[in-house]
Amino acid sequence: MQFLMAPGLRSRRKPTTEPPEPPAGGPRSGGESGPSPHRSAFRPDIEGLRAVAVLAVLAFHAGIPFTAGGFVGVDVFFVISGYLITGLLVREAITTGRIGLGDFFSRRARRLLPSAAVVLGAVAVAGAWLTVPLSRTDLEYDVVAAALSVANWRFIAQQTDYLAAGHDQSPLLHFWSLAVEEQFYLVWAPLLAVTALCVARAARRGRAVRSVVALLTALLTLGSFALSLRWTDHSASLAYLGSPSRVWQFGIGALLALLPWHLMRGPRVLRLLCGWAGAAAIVWCVVSYDASTPYPGYAALLPTLATAAVILAAIPGRGERYVEGTYGVGRLLAGRAPRAIGRLSYNLYLWHWPVIVLAEARFGTLDWPVKAALTLAAVLPALATMRWVERPLRRSRTVSEHPRRGLSVGVSSIVFPVVLALLVGTTALNLLGPATPVDPQGLPPGAASGPHLLARTPGMPLPDGPVVPGPAQARADFPPDGPCEVAPSETRSPDCLFGAVDSPDRIVLLGDSHAGQWFSPMLALASQRGWALQELVKQGCPLPELAVDNPQLGRGYRECDTWRADSLERLRQQPKPRLIVIASLNRYTADVELLGEAWRRTLEPLRALGAPIVYIEDTPVPGIDIPACVSGNQDSLAACAFSREDARHPDPLARLIASGALPGVSSVSVNEVLCPGTGPTCPAVLDRILLYRDDAHLTNAAAVVLTPRLERLLASSGALPATTAAGTPRADGWTRLLRDDFDGPAGSPPSATHWIHDIGTCYPGCPAPRWGTGEIETMTDSTDNVRLDGKGALEIVPTRKDGTWNSGRIETRRADFAPPPGGVLRIEASIALPDVTGTKAAGYWPAFWALGEGLRDGYTGWPGVGELDVMESVNGRDTVFGTLHCGVLDGGPCLEPVGLTSGPQPCSGCRTAFHTYAVEVDRTPGAEEVRWYLDGRVYHRVTADRMDPATWKRTVDHGWFLILNVAVGGNLPLADGATAGPATEPGHPMRVDHVTVSTREGPDR
């Protein structure tokens, strides 16, 4: 169990070395109704028992051989705390008839919280030096949670969140047990105080208090133990770290203090055997238990009852006082050395784990002898804290005189580390940059082929800039599939349909979280074709038929087997899908033959469906927390590269597919671009894209930019319709770079693979308000303004509400559409203009155009970088025109701001039917020009000789991105004699049947 390999214990120094003093005049003796359980005499054997517990945990954390079960020390401490605290409170209730909660919490605060505050403060400061920024922010959150005594619930949330896997161990993970105990104090003391008040006037108060509290304790103990068993079977981290599932261990200790053991008589030899048997059982657990032990559950009974046996063995009988037996285990535990360690146990426990973890954060994984030495070194700060913090505050008459002073010390001990953590954490967040979610529409276009991750214009270097997503963003950059990646405890996936959910055609995405990381590309490819995407994905569940254990459940993963069988049966009963895409982590077993046979068993019913099956080979597994590494090495990203050999294991399924042993199953791989070349390492960042969100999974951003490559691979395998494949020359010599037929369900947005939305009234930074043209609309990404019509066309619709105009404007995600050297670029669309005329059309301004890629990032440099207006029309005229903008803002070779325009071209049917508009950028040597077409007829040309060579080159020698929009109002409609007014009628769409971008090589190629 993963969390058992981290600190699992909370140690305590003795809380009852001095017995509580009853108020003056109060009874001091212990008849049957007096303050028995079990007298307030100091128990040196319990102080020594703390030493046993803390040494077990320290050995476990140091990784000393044969101490893998040392985590049972936490059970020992919980029983001790339940016994001592309950005895203290019940004695006070019997003696005084009430429990002074102010005094109780004041004592707890001044004894426990200052030492913890010192450690938390030291960790917060040391983390700023020893950890990278992203780990530092996690650590400061841990400091706050630990200071507020809710660390266990923070770690429960992290341990049960499979998608948050891959983070480094927290230096404060051991504070979970402090939180559990402090939560016990916060509930138990008030509960006993209320009980004491209810029976304060009973004739035999001692017996009444003990009886009522014992009954209450027994019920809580049984309920908590039942809950522990249930949680151990369903959520091991919740069972291990949760306070409700640990109450029963405090309850066992409480029952020791409440039941009348002191009235029992019996041979001393039974006590002798009881004590030694308990001690031997604790040692046996330390040696025999390990990470595979289902815990706590039934396994926790043994160390818990063993601790109770040791404590019970030395409880004085009737008329006896506490005396160490000559041969009892208590005599050994009461020795000077165990007691000295027991007194130090609390501070030693606080210090040892941060020392180990922060050292490993600085120097890497350490062997057990080094960790043992570091644990020994932690004695020094532990002694210093006990000598100069704990003891002075415990013994200070000034502090102990009034409860509020002790409480003030406690509050200060909470506030100090919280404030310090917030200061350090805020500094780290400033270094990390924004943590806002990544906008997939703002990502640069991915390359469909070639050695680069991103599409690039030949010869143009990648622009500088920060990595995307940033390290903080990467941590949360999950696929946007909601609850469809089902948790370990679930046995059935919900009906997870996306895209064109009513379509009879669908892609099925099937597997574990390594299949789930391909959700966004698969959704884009399905939506582009008007298909649905069905996701059947379960966390940590191998798709090959393997029996595995689950670390979150802490046992055999039965839910995985049930889910796998259910998913295969659902697919058998449903209509045959168009495509099944499978993927899975390739590391559930090191036995290659076993894994291959497990794949065969799973694929047999899948192949029987008759649908094409494509296996996406498992992506590299870095094995290190990539976002954390990048956060500390943003100027030297190569430092986060990881071993190729360790990251890419042999893939038996890919080999089976390649051998032809599985007809109907093909495989594709993107690993050649994720881990390019043949060197010893794989990169963490490619083309400024941060590839991994943890130690094993791709960021959603990386998956999105891999979409064009996956589309090409799937098309070339025959799994997707070949008509959508890009990058392959056709018989006429044209190579299609983009084709969008706008297929999809009515009311859905255009494909996020191809298009991004422009929002608002200007580009980021607003270099040109109102889009630089005086338009009056606000652009939105609402499907009220930009949507598919369900019949194979895109609609861009201007709307008006309360006098405010909204409309839509979309750009191609790619900005690298460029003619090849000496060749031709063709941009084409089939468009039906808004069917509105006259005064109702005043201010309408539909357009299809392209801008030079230099404007994509800086939004400045117009018009020199070039603009191609493929089609514009204003005010509902039966005319269209094309224009080239270039040169300088006023005048120049392009006669700006008008541009080199064709002027209005008649087109009487352009509002009622689709017509094809195109522009070609021809770079043929000696005949360079730009040509405009309407339904295949050239109606406008601009040749290179219209301007000087430098201006021409700057205008056409680069990539372009395409824009479709319907503006409202602005300079051009106004120049035509009309603008939007009360009579202008909203709701008339510009419809686009398709958009195509193609290139043709020059005659010399």
Side-chain angles (χ1 to χ4, degrees):
M1 288 176 280
Q2 180 182 350
F3 54 86
L4 290 180
M5 301 310 295
L9 169 61
R10 144 86 159 92
S11 66
R12 309 286 294 170
R13 58 176 185 76
K14 58 181 183 180
T16 57
T17 48
E18 301 98 13
E21 296 183 6
R28 303 181 63 89
S29 63
E32 190 172 316
S33 298
S36 66
H38 290 110
R39 302 183 178 90
S40 57
F42 168 57
R43 292 278 302 270
D45 61 319
I46 291 181
E47 191 168 61
L49 186 57
R50 289 195 187 91
V52 173
V54 77
L55 289 175
V57 176
L58 265 58
F60 165 58
H61 290 163
I64 295 174
F66 308 110
T67 61
F71 53 81
V72 301
V74 72
D75 308 74
V76 177
F77 279 108
F78 286 166
V79 176
I80 292 174
S81 290
Y83 174 74
L84 294 175
I85 294 301
T86 304
L88 181 151
L89 293 171
V90 169
R91 279 194 302 274
E92 183 178 356
I94 293 173
T95 303
T96 68
R98 66 181 184 85
I99 293 175
L101 293 179
D103 285 337
F104 174 79
F105 286 118
S106 176
R107 291 193 299 269
R108 301 277 75 71
R110 70 174 188 264
R111 289 184 178 188
L112 304 178
L113 297 183
S115 294
V118 170
V119 174
L120 292 175
V123 169
V125 174
W129 172 51
L130 295 172
T131 61
V132 296
L134 189 55
S135 297
R136 194 177 311 154
T137 58
D138 293 338
L139 175 58
E140 304 310 330
Y141 285 127
D142 293 346
V143 170
V144 172
L148 297 176
S149 299
V150 292
N152 62 321
W153 297 109
R154 170 165 168 78
F155 296 130
I156 285 170
Q158 291 180 334
Q159 295 286 354
T160 56
D161 184 359
Y162 179 82
L163 296 180
H167 297 191
D168 295 330
Q169 296 260 41
S170 169
L172 299 176
L173 185 53
H174 63 322
F175 268 74
W176 76 267
S177 53
L178 285 130
V180 169
E181 267 201 67
E182 284 153 9
Q183 291 160 27
F184 167 70
Y185 295 154
L186 289 172
V187 174
W188 192 236
L191 189 60
L192 294 193
V194 171
T195 303
L197 287 176
C198 292
V199 299
R201 297 181 181 179
R204 302 176 66 85
R205 189 168 61 206
R207 175 179 293 178
V209 169
R210 286 197 304 274
S211 299
V212 173
V213 174
L215 178 61
L216 178 64
T217 302
L219 293 174
L220 290 175
T221 299
L222 291 173
S224 172
F225 183 65
L227 184 63
S228 175
L229 296 180
R230 177 173 176 79
W231 282 359
T232 299
D233 192 52
H234 290 84
S235 177
S237 61
L238 184 60
Y240 192 85
L241 302 171
S243 44
S245 58
R246 291 291 192 165
V247 164
W248 70 275
Q249 295 178 301
F250 295 97
I252 294 293
L255 290 172
L256 283 176
L258 292 167
L259 298 179
W261 311 104
H262 62 295
L263 300 180
M264 296 179 62
R265 297 180 182 276
R268 290 185 178 274
V269 68
L270 291 181
R271 296 188 186 183
L272 186 72
L273 293 175
C274 179
W276 281 109
I282 293 172
V283 173
W284 185 87
C285 292
V286 170
V287 174
S288 300
Y289 285 5
D290 57 25
S292 65
T293 305
Y295 213 81
Y298 288 109
L301 274 174
L302 183 55
T304 301
L305 296 178
T307 304
V310 174
I311 295 173
L312 181 62
I315 291 178
R318 184 192 297 270
E320 298 178 352
R321 296 188 61 82
Y322 173 80
V323 179
E324 296 291 353
T326 304
Y327 303 106
V329 69
R331 188 174 186 86
L332 176 64
L333 294 174
R336 293 182 63 183
R339 287 183 58 192
I341 297 172
R343 285 191 295 272
L344 186 62
S345 61
Y346 176 57
N347 287 288
L348 182 56
Y349 179 75
L350 288 175
W351 278 104
H352 84 283
W353 183 248
V355 169
I356 292 174
V357 173
L358 290 174
E360 289 195 317
R362 186 69 173 179
F363 303 108
T365 303
L366 304 173
D367 295 330
W368 75 262
V370 179
K371 291 196 285 187
L374 289 170
T375 302
L376 187 61
V379 170
L380 296 177
L383 283 170
T385 305
M386 184 175 69
R387 170 66 178 81
W388 288 302
V389 177
E390 178 188 324
R391 283 180 176 172
L393 288 171
R394 274 186 61 190
R395 297 174 178 177
S396 170
R397 302 190 70 168
T398 302
V399 174
S400 60
E401 187 175 5
H402 296 291
R404 64 177 179 272
R405 294 176 182 173
L407 294 174
S408 297
V409 169
V411 171
S412 300
S413 299
I414 294 172
V415 171
F416 164 70
V418 168
V419 172
L420 187 60
L422 292 176
L423 289 174
V424 175
T426 301
T427 303
L429 287 174
N430 290 335
L431 293 174
L432 288 172
T436 52
V438 179
D439 179 8
Q441 294 187 346
L443 293 171
S449 60
H452 301 298
L453 179 65
L454 298 182
R456 302 190 193 177
T457 301
M460 291 193 67
L462 191 73
D464 293 331
V467 297
V468 178
Q473 293 175 309
R475 275 280 174 84
D477 196 25
F478 304 126
D481 54 356
C484 290
E485 190 166 325
V486 296
S489 60
E490 302 296 327
T491 57
R492 180 179 172 85
S493 289
D495 293 328
C496 288
L497 283 175
F498 301 86
V501 296
D502 296 328
S503 172
D505 299 316
R506 73 188 192 285
I507 296 175
V508 173
L509 181 60
L510 178 65
D512 62 5
S513 59
H514 281 233
Q517 68 187 2
W518 299 117
F519 171 81
S520 291
M522 292 303 109
L523 178 59
L525 298 181
S527 298
Q528 179 183 336
R529 290 157 176 77
W531 299 353
L533 174 68
Q534 181 180 15
E535 185 182 27
L536 297 171
V537 168
K538 182 170 175 62
Q539 299 170 7
C541 178
L543 187 57
E545 193 175 312
L546 289 170
V548 297
D549 291 335
N550 181 270
Q552 282 71 44
L553 299 175
R555 55 167 171 75
Y557 203 177
R558 302 186 298 269
E559 290 82 354
C560 175
D561 301 328
T562 304
W563 173 87
R564 186 192 305 111
D566 177 76
S567 297
L568 295 177
E569 178 61 20
R570 288 169 69 177
L571 291 177
R572 188 185 69 82
Q573 294 179 357
Q574 294 172 358
K576 183 175 74 173
R578 290 291 297 268
L579 173 64
I580 300 174
V581 176
I582 61 174
S584 182
L585 178 68
N586 197 23
R587 303 177 174 233
Y588 289 103
T589 176
D591 188 331
V592 175
E593 292 186 5
L594 176 64
L595 184 57
E597 186 57 35
W599 271 116
R600 287 179 183 271
R601 289 194 295 271
T602 295
L603 287 172
E604 182 177 354
L606 276 180
R607 292 169 58 204
L609 299 176
I613 301 171
V614 176
Y615 169 55
I616 302 180
E617 296 182 23
D618 195 21
T619 49
V621 176
I624 61 173
D625 188 344
I626 292 296
C629 180
V630 170
S631 74
N633 295 276
Q634 298 202 44
D635 295 329
S636 55
L637 296 174
C640 298
F642 48 91
S643 167
R644 176 189 297 268
E645 181 179 0
D646 294 338
R648 297 188 61 182
H649 280 192
D651 194 324
L653 180 55
R655 293 178 181 177
L656 283 172
I657 293 171
S659 70
L662 297 170
V665 184
S666 58
S667 68
V668 298
S669 174
V670 294
N671 292 338
E672 287 68 25
V673 70
L674 292 178
C675 189
T678 58
T681 61
C682 299
V685 176
L686 269 177
D687 289 356
R688 296 193 295 110
I689 300 295
L690 203 165
L691 298 177
Y692 303 93
R693 69 171 186 256
D694 49 32
D695 63 347
H697 300 87
L698 294 178
T699 59
N700 190 58
V704 167
V705 298
L706 282 166
T707 301
R709 188 175 298 267
L710 278 172
E711 182 175 22
R712 178 183 62 81
L713 292 170
L714 292 171
S716 63
S717 72
L720 287 178
T723 55
T724 62
T728 304
R730 302 197 302 267
D732 59 3
W734 288 96
T735 299
R736 183 173 295 165
L737 304 182
L738 170 71
R739 172 78 181 200
D740 196 339
D741 291 298
F742 301 110
D743 293 323
S748 61
S751 167
T753 303
H754 296 317
W755 303 97
I756 59 178
H757 290 268
D758 292 331
I759 304 297
T761 60
C762 53
Y763 281 121
C766 221
R770 298 171 68 181
W771 300 112
T773 58
E775 303 165 27
I776 65 172
E777 83 290 337
T778 297
M779 296 299 185
T780 82
D781 59 358
S782 169
T783 51
D784 289 340
N785 300 115
V786 185
R787 61 180 178 246
L788 304 184
D789 69 354
K791 302 176 182 179
L794 170 75
E795 293 183 334
I796 300 181
V797 192
T799 60
R800 183 176 60 201
K801 183 177 182 180
D802 298 328
T804 299
W805 284 91
N806 292 325
S807 191
R809 170 174 166 144
I810 60 173
E811 299 179 357
T812 54
R813 184 174 293 279
R814 292 181 60 174
D816 63 342
F817 298 123
V824 182
L825 169 71
R826 180 179 174 88
I827 299 169
E828 174 187 302
S830 177
I831 298 173
L833 299 179
D835 191 10
V836 59
T837 59
T839 57
K840 295 179 179 180
Y844 267 73
W845 183 3
F848 173 46
W849 48 305
L851 286 171
E853 65 181 346
L855 291 173
R856 170 55 62 83
D857 297 321
Y859 308 114
T860 58
W862 188 91
V865 75
E867 175 181 325
L868 297 171
D869 296 329
V870 187
M871 183 284 302
E872 289 184 279
S873 181
V874 294
N875 298 328
R877 308 287 189 194
D878 288 331
T879 57
V880 295
F881 48 89
T883 306
L884 174 67
H885 293 280
C886 70
V888 295
L889 283 173
D890 295 309
C894 279
L895 308 177
E896 297 301 343
V898 175
L900 299 177
T901 180
S902 68
Q905 302 292 308
C907 189
S908 58
C910 287
R911 288 181 289 100
T912 56
F914 288 100
H915 290 259
T916 301
Y917 304 89
V919 66
E920 291 181 352
V921 181
D922 191 343
R923 301 301 310 281
T924 303
E928 293 193 49
E929 66 176 8
V930 179
R931 295 182 292 270
W932 280 258
Y933 296 81
L934 174 56
D935 293 330
R937 175 182 63 84
V938 176
Y939 70 89
H940 183 45
R941 298 174 186 266
V942 176
T943 57
D945 58 13
R946 291 287 301 269
M947 60 196 73
D948 61 275
T951 300
W952 177 256
K953 180 176 177 63
R954 189 180 177 209
T955 301
V956 300
D957 190 17
H958 49 67
W960 302 84
F961 60 94
L962 280 54
I963 304 172
L964 288 162
N965 73 282
V966 178
V968 180
N971 301 337
L972 196 57
L974 186 61
D976 184 64
T979 190
T984 305
E985 188 172 271
H988 295 280
M990 176 177 78
R991 295 182 296 147
V992 186
D993 179 73
H994 74 261
V995 172
T996 306
V997 181
S998 306
T999 59
R1000 186 175 61 196
E1001 298 288 347
D1004 298 331
R1005 301 301 290 260

